[in-house]
Amino acid sequence: MQRYVQAMGLRNVLSVACEAIFRIPTRPEPPNVFADEVWATVLPKDLKNMTFAITGSSRGMGYELAKKIAERGGNLILLNRGGQHTEKARDEIAQLNKGGFTVMINCDLCDFASVRTAAEEVRKQTKTLDCLVLNAGLMAQKDVRTKDGYDIQMQANHLSHFLLTSLLFDVLEATAAAKGEARVVSHSSGARRAPDAPLQEDAFEKAWAPLVDGKPNPCVGDKFGKWRRYQQSKRANLAYTYALGDFIDSKPGCKVKALCCHPGATNSGLQSRTNASSWMDNFINGLAVVAGHSTDDGCLGLALATLKPDVSNNDFYGPLGLTGNATLLPDERDPSYSKQQLHMLWDKSVAATGAKWS
């Protein structure tokens, strides 16, 4: 909350609080401040013969990234749930593509079987994969379970991405061996530190523990629990990057790189797709809407992690503050992500998904 008061001023925060009594506050998306210059001067202009698979590429930041890649001639595999909306996005991206191919593959991240089928379809479409962009996510959803039995936010935001990476990792390895590198990019959020709470083991299991450290489990229920569950899933995104980076480092000669990013507060429209049911939901969503920068500016962390030359394993990109230009961020492993936490995430994710790693 203090970050929003500093960024917006107390009067604007109180104004959002009043509007939240009636609805999720809405504002026109602000103009770009940083994106145009970064795309013009920092990121490669020619992406021909490079292939990118992106989850959640029918709207928001995944959609913006896909359009930019298409304009620069890259091959695109769009991993989305099927429907008219996603087909329309596929067609719009394909029209922009200058020399590369654009295909859409149905991939429901709330269904492990769908993820496995999607991975097989990716392998049919390409023998190389320069970057797997794990962008899709759900925010502030009700306390429900997927058909596989896991929390809907944790499965969509982390577990299915963990499984998808394992199913395509040999393709990434082969591409990296041939070209010098390949990347896996995860998309976290400032919510990973709101609150700055460690990962809970039961976040990766089929039932919540009634108590955590002797107190009622903060992930249970829908009043504020939905936001704690979101925090756990977004913390898992960065923890997974560090755990995958360690796995890569343990494989002699492996040139795949695990990177992560966060968008900062972004007026991307995601807020309107939450299960807002209370004043608190409207208020939290409204703060991001009113304080947030444009979708293109919010996409810069994702773009740098995906495309910037000369990146390193475990790099983390995003704005230093609530908003701002994306930059290389400090490593957060010590003390927030202990080796014990990373091992727990990996072991629990394997147990949940059945993922097999070479």
Side-chain angles (χ1 to χ4, degrees):
M1 182 59 61
Q2 185 178 359
R3 295 181 306 155
Y4 283 102
V5 172
Q6 291 174 344
M8 302 167 57
L10 181 59
R11 180 177 295 179
N12 285 329
V13 170
L14 292 175
S15 175
V16 172
C18 292
E19 189 174 350
I21 296 172
F22 306 101
R23 59 181 175 269
I24 299 174
T26 59
R27 299 291 186 276
E29 185 172 339
N32 296 340
V33 177
F34 308 104
D36 297 340
E37 182 177 356
V38 172
W39 279 100
T41 62
V42 177
L43 299 173
K45 295 179 174 59
D46 186 357
L47 299 175
K48 291 182 177 65
N49 300 316
M50 297 185 70
T51 302
F52 304 84
I54 309 174
T55 67
S57 44
S58 64
R59 63 180 75 187
M61 284 168 269
Y63 175 66
E64 296 302 326
L65 177 66
K67 288 196 298 182
K68 291 291 196 303
I69 290 173
E71 289 171 349
R72 298 179 183 215
N75 300 319
L76 281 160
I77 300 173
L78 310 176
L79 297 165
N80 302 305
R81 285 182 294 183
Q84 291 185 345
H85 174 77
T86 54
E87 291 171 3
K88 180 175 181 290
R90 185 268 319 277
D91 293 343
E92 291 170 348
I93 293 166
Q95 289 176 4
L96 295 171
N97 205 311
K98 297 180 179 178
F101 65 75
T102 300
V103 297
M104 187 183 78
I105 293 174
N106 182 67
C107 182
D108 183 354
L109 296 174
C110 293
D111 181 349
F112 291 148
S114 175
V115 173
R116 292 182 181 278
T117 300
E120 287 301 315
E121 291 300 316
V122 171
R123 302 174 79 92
K124 293 175 183 178
Q125 292 291 335
T126 183
K127 300 300 182 185
T128 62
L129 185 58
D130 294 270
C131 189
L132 176 60
V133 184
L134 308 176
N135 164 73
L138 298 176
M139 183 171 76
Q141 300 296 302
K142 292 181 179 180
D143 193 358
V144 298
R145 298 278 158 170
T146 67
K147 64 183 294 185
D148 299 297
Y150 296 95
D151 170 60
I152 190 171
Q153 292 185 92
M154 185 59 80
Q155 180 160 337
N157 296 0
H158 164 66
L159 288 173
S160 283
H161 283 144
F162 182 92
L163 176 61
L164 182 64
T165 310
S166 73
L167 294 167
L168 295 174
F169 197 77
D170 62 326
V171 182
L172 291 159
E173 277 192 292
T175 304
K179 294 188 175 184
E181 74 162 34
R183 303 181 191 183
V184 179
V185 175
S186 295
H187 208 175
S188 185
S189 164
R192 72 191 184 281
R193 301 174 72 177
D196 197 9
L199 291 169
Q200 299 176 196
E201 290 192 18
D202 62 339
F204 306 89
E205 297 172 352
K206 291 189 175 183
W208 299 116
L211 300 176
V212 175
D213 296 329
K215 299 178 182 179
N217 192 335
C219 287
V220 175
D222 285 332
K223 185 173 182 181
F224 195 77
K226 64 177 67 172
W227 295 102
R228 187 58 170 264
R229 296 192 295 275
Y230 183 62
Q231 179 266 339
Q232 288 284 292
S233 73
K234 291 289 102 179
R235 194 174 186 88
N237 293 149
L238 182 54
Y240 173 48
T241 297
Y242 292 143
L244 180 59
D246 289 346
F247 173 77
I248 290 167
D249 287 341
S250 73
K251 293 174 64 66
C254 183
K255 296 181 180 180
V256 180
K257 297 174 181 178
L259 297 96
C260 195
C261 59
H262 83 91
T266 305
N267 187 350
S268 65
L270 179 61
Q271 294 81 11
S272 65
R273 298 191 292 275
T274 65
N275 273 313
S277 57
S278 69
W279 172 85
M280 179 62 74
D281 295 339
N282 292 348
F283 181 53
I284 294 172
N285 281 316
L287 288 173
V289 168
V290 175
H293 50 197
S294 70
T295 304
D296 277 350
D297 282 347
C299 185
L300 287 179
L302 189 64
L304 291 174
T306 302
L307 300 171
K308 183 179 179 293
D310 302 320
V311 298
S312 298
N313 195 27
N314 285 159
D315 276 356
F316 182 33
Y317 290 93
L320 279 168
L322 192 64
T323 60
N325 201 358
T327 187
L328 180 63
L329 297 171
D331 192 307
E332 293 188 10
R333 274 175 289 194
D334 185 22
S336 295
Y337 299 83
S338 66
K339 286 288 186 183
Q340 183 180 5
Q341 284 263 295
L342 301 187
H343 286 309
M344 183 273 287
L345 172 139
W346 193 274
D347 292 344
K348 290 285 187 180
S349 299
V350 167
T353 63
K356 299 184 185 302
W357 294 84
S358 59

